[in-house]
Amino acid sequence: MNVRRVRVGCEFVYQSAVDTPAVLQIEPRGTGPVSVIARAWSLEPQLNVRSYVDLYDNPCTRLVLPAGRCTVRYEATALVPDATEDTAGNAPQRLPDELPDDVLIFTLPSRFCLPDMLGDEAWSRFGALPADHMRVQAICDYVNGHLTFGYGTSDARSTAADVNASGFGVCRDFTHLAISFCRALNIPARYVFGYLPDLDVPPDPAPMDFAAWMEVWLGDRWWTFDPRNNRPRKGRILIGRGRDASDVAMVTTFGAPMLESMTVTAAEDPNG
């Protein structure tokens, strides 16, 4: 398979009144068809960092943001397939008793995904559809049409039920709502986020940001679905997986530093 060279990265600038411990999830996992061939941290001032892997096998980095101004930069170069992700074809939904033990958790409510609150709507809208990939695609089609994308239309506390009622959200909200509908129908679904460059699609005029999508268990494996973009895409570079966005926050701080700016980069390397 042909591959393409993509550069990804991010920069966070903080002002802190006191030293503040933090955990970052911004590194590509470099698994499956994606390979990371170079990576680098740049910290001003220079800081000690240490890494670990969380319970979902996501790479995490720990550091302490010093009092004052601090800049954290990360960049990486990855090789990605020059092809979109696999589609689910005719993969069927499995009954709960047929699911692997470690998949069952992704049928349950979590902080932002609320299948118990959205269950009646899920069954009335999608319950009569075939119990296979068509049902999941119908959920994505509905969420994509129901929600209007807009920065500032939701916040870090907005749940799937909140955005379903308001009709507005960002990519994490599209994903939370689609996951909630899937779980209400006993379809395991997990939250995924990462870098998503504009490869062979019209460029988005909005500033580049992290992207969120979901993986759904059908047949005997996980499949990628994207309720925000609602089409197969090239160049997905995975950072983290979890029950919802609370499991894979880009930055978790144990304090209240002020975020001055955040910049995200994901683009094909012109020198690749």
Side-chain angles (χ1 to χ4, degrees), residues 86-94 130-137 187 216-225:
D86 294 339
T87 55
N90 295 318
Q93 177 180 343
R94 295 300 185 190
D132 57 20
H133 75 288
M134 293 178 60
R135 177 181 276 176
V136 179
Q137 186 57 56
I187 305 170
V216 175
W217 186 273
L218 295 171
D220 60 357
R221 56 164 282 190
W222 294 103
W223 301 90
T224 295
F225 288 85

Coordinates of all heavy atoms in Angstrom, one line a residue, residues 86-94 130-137 187 216-225:
D86 N -11.0 1.0 6.6 CA -12.0 0.0 6.2 C -13.4 0.3 6.6 O -13.6 0.9 7.7 CB -11.6 -1.4 6.8 CG -10.3 -1.9 6.3 OD1 -9.8 -1.5 5.2 OD2 -9.7 -2.7 7.1
T87 N -14.4 0.0 5.8 CA -15.8 0.1 6.2 C -16.3 -1.2 6.6 O -15.8 -2.3 6.3 CB -16.6 0.7 5.0 OG1 -16.4 -0.1 3.9 CG2 -16.1 2.1 4.7
A88 N -17.4 -1.1 7.4 CA -17.9 -2.3 8.1 C -18.6 -3.3 7.2 O -18.9 -4.4 7.6 CB -18.8 -1.9 9.2
G89 N -18.9 -2.9 6.0 CA -19.6 -3.9 5.1 C -20.9 -4.4 5.7 O -21.7 -3.6 6.1
N90 N -21.1 -5.7 5.7 CA -22.3 -6.3 6.3 C -22.1 -6.8 7.7 O -22.8 -7.7 8.1 CB -22.8 -7.4 5.4 CG -23.2 -6.9 4.0 OD1 -23.9 -5.8 3.9 ND2 -22.8 -7.6 3.0
A91 N -21.1 -6.3 8.4 CA -20.8 -6.8 9.8 C -22.0 -6.7 10.7 O -22.6 -5.6 10.8 CB -19.6 -6.1 10.4
P92 N -22.4 -7.7 11.4 CA -23.7 -7.7 12.2 C -23.4 -7.2 13.6 O -22.3 -7.3 14.1 CB -24.1 -9.2 12.2 CG -22.8 -9.9 12.2 CD -21.9 -9.1 11.3
Q93 N -24.5 -6.7 14.2 CA -24.4 -6.4 15.6 C -24.5 -7.7 16.4 O -25.2 -8.7 16.0 CB -25.6 -5.5 16.0 CG -25.7 -5.2 17.5 CD -26.9 -4.4 17.8 OE1 -27.5 -3.7 16.9 NE2 -27.3 -4.3 19.1
R94 N -23.7 -7.8 17.5 CA -23.7 -9.0 18.3 C -24.6 -8.9 19.5 O -24.7 -7.7 20.1 CB -22.3 -9.4 18.7 CG -21.4 -9.7 17.6 CD -21.8 -10.9 16.8 NE -20.8 -11.4 15.8 CZ -21.1 -12.3 14.9 NH1 -22.3 -12.9 14.9 NH2 -20.2 -12.6 14.0
P130 N -32.2 -2.8 10.5 CA -31.4 -4.0 10.6 C -30.3 -3.9 11.6 O -29.6 -2.8 11.7 CB -30.8 -4.2 9.2 CG -31.8 -3.4 8.3 CD -32.2 -2.3 9.1
A131 N -30.1 -4.9 12.4 CA -29.1 -4.9 13.4 C -27.7 -5.2 12.9 O -27.1 -6.3 13.1 CB -29.5 -5.9 14.5
D132 N -27.2 -4.3 12.1 CA -25.9 -4.4 11.5 C -25.3 -3.0 11.3 O -25.7 -2.0 11.9 CB -25.9 -5.2 10.2 CG -26.9 -4.7 9.2 OD1 -27.2 -3.4 9.3 OD2 -27.3 -5.4 8.3
H133 N -24.3 -2.9 10.4 CA -23.7 -1.6 10.1 C -24.7 -0.6 9.6 O -24.4 0.6 9.8 CB -22.6 -1.8 9.0 CG -23.1 -2.0 7.6 ND1 -23.8 -3.1 7.2 CD2 -23.2 -1.2 6.6 CE1 -24.2 -3.0 6.0 NE2 -23.8 -1.8 5.6
M134 N -25.8 -1.0 9.0 CA -26.7 0.0 8.5 C -27.4 0.8 9.7 O -27.7 2.0 9.5 CB -27.8 -0.7 7.7 CG -27.3 -1.3 6.4 SD -28.6 -2.2 5.5 CE -29.8 -0.9 5.2
R135 N -27.6 0.1 10.8 CA -28.1 0.8 12.0 C -27.1 1.9 12.5 O -27.5 3.0 12.8 CB -28.4 -0.2 13.1 CG -29.0 0.4 14.3 CD -29.3 -0.7 15.4 NE -30.6 -1.2 15.2 CZ -31.1 -2.2 15.9 NH1 -30.3 -2.8 16.8 NH2 -32.3 -2.7 15.6
V136 N -25.8 1.5 12.5 CA -24.8 2.5 13.0 C -24.7 3.6 12.0 O -24.6 4.8 12.4 CB -23.5 1.8 13.2 CG1 -22.4 2.8 13.7 CG2 -23.6 0.6 14.2
Q137 N -24.7 3.3 10.7 CA -24.6 4.4 9.7 C -25.8 5.3 9.8 O -25.7 6.6 9.7 CB -24.5 3.8 8.3 CG -24.2 4.9 7.3 CD -23.0 5.7 7.6 OE1 -21.9 5.2 7.8 NE2 -23.2 7.1 7.7
I187 N -25.1 -1.7 21.3 CA -24.0 -1.7 20.4 C -22.7 -1.1 21.1 O -22.8 0.1 21.4 CB -24.3 -0.9 19.1 CG1 -25.5 -1.4 18.4 CG2 -23.1 -1.0 18.1 CD1 -26.0 -0.5 17.3
V216 N -16.8 1.2 16.7 CA -18.0 0.5 17.0 C -17.7 -1.0 16.8 O -17.1 -1.4 15.8 CB -19.2 0.9 16.2 CG1 -20.4 0.0 16.4 CG2 -19.6 2.4 16.5
W217 N -18.1 -1.8 17.8 CA -17.9 -3.3 17.7 C -19.0 -3.9 16.9 O -20.2 -4.0 17.3 CB -17.8 -3.9 19.1 CG -17.4 -5.4 19.0 CD1 -18.2 -6.5 18.9 CD2 -16.1 -5.9 19.1 NE1 -17.5 -7.6 18.9 CE2 -16.2 -7.3 19.0 CE3 -14.8 -5.4 19.2 CZ2 -15.1 -8.2 19.0 CZ3 -13.7 -6.2 19.2 CH2 -13.9 -7.6 19.1
L218 N -18.7 -4.4 15.7 CA -19.6 -5.2 14.9 C -18.9 -6.4 14.4 O -17.7 -6.4 14.1 CB -20.1 -4.4 13.7 CG -20.9 -3.1 14.0 CD1 -21.1 -2.3 12.7 CD2 -22.3 -3.5 14.6
G219 N -19.7 -7.6 14.3 CA -19.0 -8.8 13.9 C -18.0 -9.2 15.0 O -18.4 -9.5 16.1
D220 N -16.7 -9.2 14.6 CA -15.7 -9.6 15.6 C -14.6 -8.6 15.7 O -13.5 -9.0 16.1 CB -15.1 -11.0 15.1 CG -14.5 -10.9 13.7 OD1 -14.5 -9.8 13.1 OD2 -13.9 -11.9 13.3
R221 N -14.9 -7.3 15.4 CA -13.8 -6.3 15.6 C -14.4 -4.9 15.7 O -15.6 -4.7 15.5 CB -12.9 -6.4 14.3 CG -13.6 -6.3 13.0 CD -12.7 -5.9 11.9 NE -12.3 -4.5 11.9 CZ -11.6 -3.9 10.9 NH1 -11.3 -4.6 9.8 NH2 -11.3 -2.7 10.9
W222 N -13.5 -4.0 15.9 CA -13.9 -2.6 16.0 C -13.8 -2.0 14.6 O -12.9 -2.2 13.8 CB -12.9 -1.8 16.9 CG -13.0 -2.2 18.4 CD1 -12.1 -2.9 19.1 CD2 -14.0 -1.7 19.3 NE1 -12.5 -3.0 20.4 CE2 -13.7 -2.3 20.5 CE3 -15.2 -0.9 19.2 CZ2 -14.5 -2.1 21.7 CZ3 -15.9 -0.7 20.3 CH2 -15.6 -1.3 21.5
W223 N -14.8 -1.1 14.3 CA -14.8 -0.4 13.0 C -14.9 1.1 13.3 O -15.5 1.6 14.2 CB -16.0 -0.8 12.2 CG -16.1 -2.3 11.9 CD1 -16.6 -3.3 12.6 CD2 -15.5 -2.9 10.7 NE1 -16.5 -4.5 12.1 CE2 -15.8 -4.3 10.9 CE3 -14.8 -2.5 9.6 CZ2 -15.4 -5.2 9.9 CZ3 -14.4 -3.4 8.7 CH2 -14.7 -4.8 8.8
T224 N -14.3 1.9 12.4 CA -14.3 3.4 12.5 C -15.6 4.0 11.9 O -16.0 3.6 10.7 CB -13.1 4.0 11.8 OG1 -11.9 3.6 12.5 CG2 -13.2 5.5 11.8
F225 N -16.2 4.9 12.7 CA -17.4 5.7 12.2 C -17.1 7.1 12.6 O -16.6 7.3 13.7 CB -18.7 5.2 12.7 CG -19.2 3.9 12.1 CD1 -18.8 2.7 12.6 CD2 -20.1 3.9 11.0 CE1 -19.2 1.5 12.1 CE2 -20.5 2.7 10.5 CZ -20.1 1.5 11.0

